[in-house]
Amino acid sequence: MLKRKPRRLTNDGKWGLFMVSPYLIQFLVFLSFPLIASLYFSFSKYDMLNAPEWIGIENYTTLIQDPVFHKALWNTFYFAVLFVPAQTILALILAVALNQSLKGLKLFRIAHFIPVICSWTVVLYVADAIFNPRFGIANTLLVKMGASPQAWLNDEALVIPVLVAVAVWKGVGYMMVIFLAGLQNVPHDLYEAAEIEGAGTYRKFRHVTLPLISGTTFLVLVLTTITTFQSFEQIYVMTGNMGDVTSAGGPDNASMVLMLYLFQQGFSFLKMGYASAIAWFLFLILFAITLIQLWLQKKWVYYEN
Amino acid sequence: MKKIGTGLCLSGLLLMSAWLTGCSNDAESSTEDGGNTTKEEVVEIKLGYYSSGSADEKVEELIQKFEEAHPNIDVTTQNAPYQQFFQKLDTQIAGNNAPDVWLSDGVLVQKYAERGAAKDLTEWIESDLNQDDYYGLDFNKGSDGKYYAVPQGIQIGALFYNKDMFDAAGVDYPDESWTWEQLKEAGAKLTLDGQDRTADDSEFDKKSVKQYGLTFFNITEGWMPVLKSFGGGVLDEDLKESLIDSEENKEAMNWIVDGMERGILTDPSDLQSFQSPMSPFPSGTAAMRIGIYARVLAANETGINYDVSVLPKGPNGDRFAPVIANSWIVNENSSDEKAEAAWEWVKYWVTEDEVQKEWAELGEAVPVKKSVANSDLFLNSGEQSINKQAFLDSFEFAGTLDTNAVWSEWLQKFNENADQVFLGETSVEDALKQADEEVQKVLDDFYE
């Protein structure tokens, strides 16, 4: 019989703690302290140059009434609604297409992965070559087809779809790689069995592949959703009119998203308290969405054991 | 064994450094004691400036000369590109370890002054500087009448024009008699579409403009000089009330919108086609620009044949030249000793002819010291001989961009609404009304 040991750290436990201590210390110093500080700031008026002044929930009440915040919240959701399905479906299609055994396959995989490792500034130049209102390929094509040229990033109705298209192009390779890993874990004998039963390509995909990679799909969905709510750099760079960063988020706040609004309020206008309130609001939204996704996964995600 | 080794090494290093610093202290104090009757201690100050590439070397060189002239002051520097510099500076001020003296963009001086981060320099300026000798001291005056900064170099706006384009169009060069109306008339003749038709032509295709009459960008080099010379503006004299919704502004905005609709002026959408909104003039895509002094550098670099003139008059004969006085700020939280040493640097910068001349040679800004600005060194410097006198003449009708503590915030609100008009989304009246409300709210939130 094993006797229950008194609750004391074993040697292994101590070693374990010691080995993870760099991370623990880093977490305590660089993450938990700023977290608590930002919670405190979110209840105060703080311009960074003077000491924070406690004002209770005023930041939150202002936030709820702030039209620009509403717009930013709406834009963020709009971005997510377009981006998450587009990227997930496209990544899946690409992954299935690139999961064959053909010659030169690696080259295609690399080609789709290149935008992932490029910085947003580089992507901006590529996007500019397409969507530049005067010299861009998009407008040249439109004019050739007899349509009128568009203002793209300067058009309130088009700015988010254009940003989403560019973001999908940049991000799809990464999700594709995750899907590829998932696809390669599907056992071949299942396909063979399905073939013997007379299943065609579509039925094999629908009834074998999809259920077996549902765990991967779930991961991709969660990751993609979180990226959307954190999207900042792209919009900062692409709508910032290059010389003038306070203009980012235009035209008329049509591409103002939460992270950008947070940055603008905190660092451009020195309203750190208000920015902290936005940050905590954003955290609550993300937390809620992730909880919902976790709850929903029971309904459709298949785990082998 | 290894452990003992490193321990020994470390303690050895410690000992050595202690001995070295002790030594150098001894050395300094002994020479001072021996050589001078007054005992002076070395004051260490930290100086911060934002990087402007080629000029950094010159700043460091000038600091070295300053240290030679003031052996009791030891300067350490801190610099970074513009954006990072100010972000870091704000956090440093929050953490109480900001530089003792730093270079501030002219438009940000009041941001620091009104939040209590900049030292009031009024007394020192009055006792140490002959105010008539310098340009731009008043541009940093707060609404309380105190001085919180001393200009390092001055940016002032004038009208740049491309002589080749004027010659090709057979239009007379601009001079001080021009009004904005005349500018637009000339601009129409200088605006060309893909088929080389001018904006006056009834066939003119404004969707394919290949040469603009005037490139128009944002506040300093765009709407502010137009608004002000039409008698309008953004804020009242105390910089706490919005004056946006006025007849004068309406008139000015209509002038701008008409120019954009006719394709003579670049609108925000046109500017998106360029790598930088600053580039249409130096790249030879626009015949004129409203430009601050520093734009001379880009124009010289691309080698276009250009000159400058004062900005046009408004309908009532008023003129306005926008000014940005980039300035030295002394940290309010520095000790008296350090603040005094920092003031020595500021004084050295503005009073010493040598410093002013060397800085002027770089051609980045109009020198602060009038005698240097009016000398040959400034007026006839540079590869091209352009009418630099126009910049100096503009001081007579120069003004700031209504900069106050919440400048960047109200500016964002104004730009947002102005851009809506410029893009043809709303009417001038609606936009001015809305901008007025939003800007007033920003002001009230801060000054309540």
Side-chain angles (χ1 to χ4, degrees):
Chain A
M1 276 289 285
L2 271 169
K3 227 176 79 183
R4 212 189 151 86
K5 275 188 183 170
R7 286 187 141 261
R8 205 188 298 148
L9 279 177
T10 59
N11 255 346
D12 279 356
K14 280 180 196 160
W15 262 110
L17 267 184
F18 176 73
M19 297 304 270
V20 295
S21 61
Y23 174 75
L24 274 181
I25 292 166
Q26 185 233 343
F27 175 81
L28 287 174
V29 176
F30 293 108
L31 275 167
S32 66
F33 176 70
L35 268 176
I36 295 163
S38 89
L39 188 62
Y40 174 72
F41 292 153
S42 79
F43 291 105
S44 49
K45 189 174 176 167
Y46 181 43
D47 67 1
M48 287 174 69
L49 306 185
N50 295 299
E53 172 196 334
W54 182 268
I55 52 167
I57 58 162
E58 200 186 306
N59 282 330
Y60 290 93
T61 49
T62 323
L63 201 60
I64 290 165
Q65 293 159 9
D66 180 353
V68 184
F69 176 69
H70 295 165
K71 211 162 180 181
L73 196 60
W74 162 255
N75 288 337
T76 310
F77 274 105
Y78 181 39
F79 194 101
V81 165
L82 293 182
F83 179 74
V84 175
Q87 170 149 306
T88 313
I89 293 169
L90 202 67
L92 180 59
I93 293 173
L94 281 175
V96 171
L98 296 183
N99 193 31
Q100 320 293 326
S101 45
L102 291 170
K103 262 198 173 171
L105 209 62
K106 274 201 177 134
L107 208 67
F108 284 109
R109 288 186 190 167
I110 291 170
H112 285 289
F113 200 74
I114 283 175
V116 176
I117 49 173
C118 290
S119 86
W120 273 112
T121 317
V122 174
V123 173
L124 165 79
Y125 281 100
V126 177
D128 186 59
I130 301 169
F131 295 111
N132 188 301
R134 259 150 69 94
F135 314 110
I137 301 163
N139 273 350
T140 316
L141 283 176
L142 278 181
V143 172
K144 268 197 182 147
M145 291 189 303
S148 55
Q150 300 295 319
W152 303 116
L153 291 170
N154 251 326
D155 186 319
E156 281 183 55
L158 285 177
V159 59
I160 294 257
V162 169
L163 288 170
V164 167
V166 177
V168 167
W169 178 71
K170 180 164 179 356
V172 76
Y174 189 68
M175 297 304 156
M176 177 195 79
V177 169
I178 297 180
F179 268 128
L180 267 174
L183 285 173
Q184 277 162 4
N185 279 335
V186 180
H188 264 280
D189 44 356
L190 283 180
Y191 287 119
E192 281 159 18
E195 264 168 44
I196 292 168
E197 300 286 327
T201 322
Y202 169 74
R203 298 198 62 171
K204 272 194 288 180
F205 177 72
R206 172 74 188 76
H207 295 287
V208 179
T209 316
L210 270 189
L212 281 173
I213 59 158
S214 57
T216 315
T217 316
F218 176 69
L219 174 73
V220 169
L221 278 179
V222 174
L223 284 179
T224 313
T225 314
I226 293 175
T227 359
T228 342
F229 281 87
Q230 292 179 336
S231 67
F232 164 74
E233 206 183 341
Q234 176 194 13
I235 302 175
Y236 186 72
V237 174
M238 286 186 68
T239 66
N241 215 347
M242 290 159 241
D244 173 27
V245 282
T246 45
S247 76
D252 198 21
N253 290 324
S255 61
M256 178 64 76
V257 292
L258 288 177
M259 281 303 270
L260 193 59
Y261 194 47
L262 184 159
F263 179 84
Q264 193 191 56
Q265 293 295 316
F267 293 97
S268 302
F269 302 156
L270 298 183
K271 292 181 170 173
M272 217 22 108
Y274 197 58
S276 302
I278 299 172
W280 279 89
F281 205 95
L282 188 66
F283 165 74
L284 288 180
I285 294 173
L286 270 180
F287 192 64
I289 290 178
T290 311
L291 278 186
I292 293 170
Q293 281 176 329
L294 276 172
W295 176 71
L296 279 176
Q297 76 162 325
K298 287 183 209 137
K299 314 231 166 210
W300 63 277
V301 178
Y302 167 79
Y303 292 107
E304 238 170 308
N305 7 332
Chain B
M1 276 317 279
K2 246 187 179 170
K3 260 186 193 167
I4 298 170
T6 33
L8 270 177
C9 265
L10 268 176
S11 46
L13 270 174
L14 271 173
L15 267 175
M16 244 177 54
S17 55
W19 177 72
L20 274 174
T21 45
C23 235
S24 59
N25 280 346
D26 280 352
E28 270 164 28
S29 49
S30 64
T31 47
E32 271 157 20
D33 283 344
N36 236 322
T37 40
T38 51
K39 194 176 149 187
E40 271 189 301
E41 269 182 48
V42 172
V43 183
E44 284 176 19
I45 58 169
K46 193 159 80 171
L47 181 150
Y49 63 98
Y50 50 90
S51 207
S52 50
S54 57
D56 291 3
E57 219 172 293
K58 185 62 86 180
V59 178
E60 296 291 340
E61 200 187 305
L62 292 174
I63 288 169
Q64 228 167 42
K65 283 187 184 165
F66 169 75
E67 283 179 320
E68 277 161 26
H70 296 82
N72 60 323
I73 300 175
D74 189 26
V75 184
T76 53
T77 57
Q78 161 194 325
N79 79 334
Y82 187 88
Q83 286 282 336
Q84 286 96 309
F85 177 77
F86 285 103
Q87 256 168 45
K88 188 173 175 192
L89 180 65
D90 289 350
T91 45
Q92 282 179 319
I93 294 173
N96 212 357
N97 59 351
D100 301 294
V101 53
W102 72 82
L103 176 62
S104 170
D105 187 320
V107 294
L108 300 177
V109 169
Q110 293 307 322
K111 163 179 147 179
Y112 296 110
E114 295 191 37
R115 288 182 175 84
K119 194 174 180 65
D120 176 4
L121 301 176
T122 316
E123 271 177 43
W124 281 345
I125 289 178
E126 277 167 2
S127 67
D128 290 2
L129 301 178
N130 185 2
Q131 294 180 52
D132 293 336
D133 289 351
Y134 305 98
Y135 282 123
L137 281 174
D138 279 352
F139 297 130
N140 282 324
K141 216 178 198 172
S143 49
D144 54 2
K146 290 176 176 161
Y147 297 98
Y148 291 96
V150 174
Q152 172 245 21
I154 299 190
Q155 295 301 338
I156 184 162
L159 184 69
F160 287 58
Y161 59 96
N162 187 317
K163 289 203 274 191
D164 289 346
M165 288 181 184
F166 272 73
D167 292 344
V171 179
D172 288 340
Y173 296 153
D175 57 35
E176 69 278 353
S177 71
W178 269 31
T179 62
W180 288 103
E181 274 319 314
Q182 273 168 292
L183 182 144
K184 197 190 273 171
E185 279 164 32
K189 298 192 181 96
L190 289 155
T191 306
L192 301 174
D193 69 2
Q195 259 81 49
D196 281 339
R197 290 174 297 223
T198 65
D200 283 333
D201 198 316
S202 55
E203 301 270 282
F204 177 72
D205 175 18
K206 58 184 187 191
K207 293 252 184 224
S208 72
V209 180
K210 71 164 190 190
Q211 177 182 313
Y212 294 95
L214 173 75
T215 173
F216 199 80
F217 170 67
N218 249 331
I219 176 170
T220 326
E221 299 172 327
W223 48 262
M224 187 65 107
V226 183
L227 256 53
K228 290 256 183 179
S229 50
F230 270 71
V234 177
L235 303 184
D236 72 343
E237 224 164 280
D238 289 340
L239 304 169
K240 286 172 189 170
E241 293 284 332
S242 157
L243 300 174
I244 294 169
D245 197 12
S246 73
E247 280 308 313
E248 290 85 357
N249 281 344
K250 232 170 265 179
E251 211 184 319
M253 288 297 270
N254 280 327
W255 181 90
I256 299 170
V257 171
D258 173 67
M260 287 181 177
E261 276 173 357
R262 293 172 59 193
I264 303 167
L265 274 66
T266 52
D267 69 26
S269 184
D270 297 328
L271 287 177
Q272 278 244 323
S273 322
F274 298 92
Q275 290 298 341
S276 149
M278 303 296 168
S279 67
F281 184 78
S283 69
T285 320
M288 290 177 275
R289 81 168 296 165
I290 305 165
I292 53 175
Y293 180 73
R295 305 296 177 236
V296 166
L297 295 175
N300 285 343
E301 216 168 85
T302 54
I304 52 166
N305 182 18
Y306 75 105
D307 208 340
V308 287
S309 170
V310 290
L311 285 169
K313 290 183 282 198
N316 298 324
D318 294 339
R319 269 183 218 279
F320 181 80
V323 159
I324 298 171
N326 297 328
S327 299
W328 296 110
I329 287 182
V330 177
N331 190 339
E332 168 71 12
N333 286 319
S334 289
S335 64
D336 287 349
E337 199 187 21
K338 290 189 181 216
E340 272 162 37
W343 175 247
E344 284 301 320
W345 160 255
V346 177
K347 222 165 55 179
Y348 180 77
W349 180 279
V350 290
T351 56
E352 291 289 326
D353 278 0
E354 195 52 37
V355 178
Q356 287 285 308
K357 277 178 185 161
E358 287 204 30
W359 190 246
E361 271 171 19
L362 285 178
E364 292 216 322
V366 177
V368 180
K369 200 171 184 182
K370 284 182 184 169
S371 58
V372 177
N374 283 288
S375 72
D376 247 21
L377 187 99
F378 171 74
L379 290 171
N380 295 320
S381 65
E383 303 128 50
Q384 292 208 37
S385 62
I386 56 164
N387 176 25
K388 288 190 181 167
Q389 188 64 43
F391 290 104
L392 302 187
D393 292 345
S394 298
F395 277 107
E396 266 186 46
F397 43 88
T400 65
L401 304 166
D402 290 354
T403 42
N404 63 3
V406 286
W407 184 79
S408 30
E409 202 177 345
W410 74 244
L411 176 63
Q412 193 247 354
K413 296 285 180 204
F414 189 97
N415 274 338
E416 222 171 81
N417 287 294
D419 280 354
Q420 290 302 296
V421 183
F422 298 157
L423 291 167
E425 306 276 337
T426 40
S427 69
V428 169
E429 271 176 34
D430 288 351
L432 287 181
K433 201 171 286 171
Q434 177 140 8
D436 187 64
E437 278 168 25
E438 289 179 10
V439 167
Q440 191 59 54
K441 192 175 174 298
V442 169
L443 298 168
D444 290 345
D445 278 353
F446 185 79
Y447 289 110
E448 65 190 354

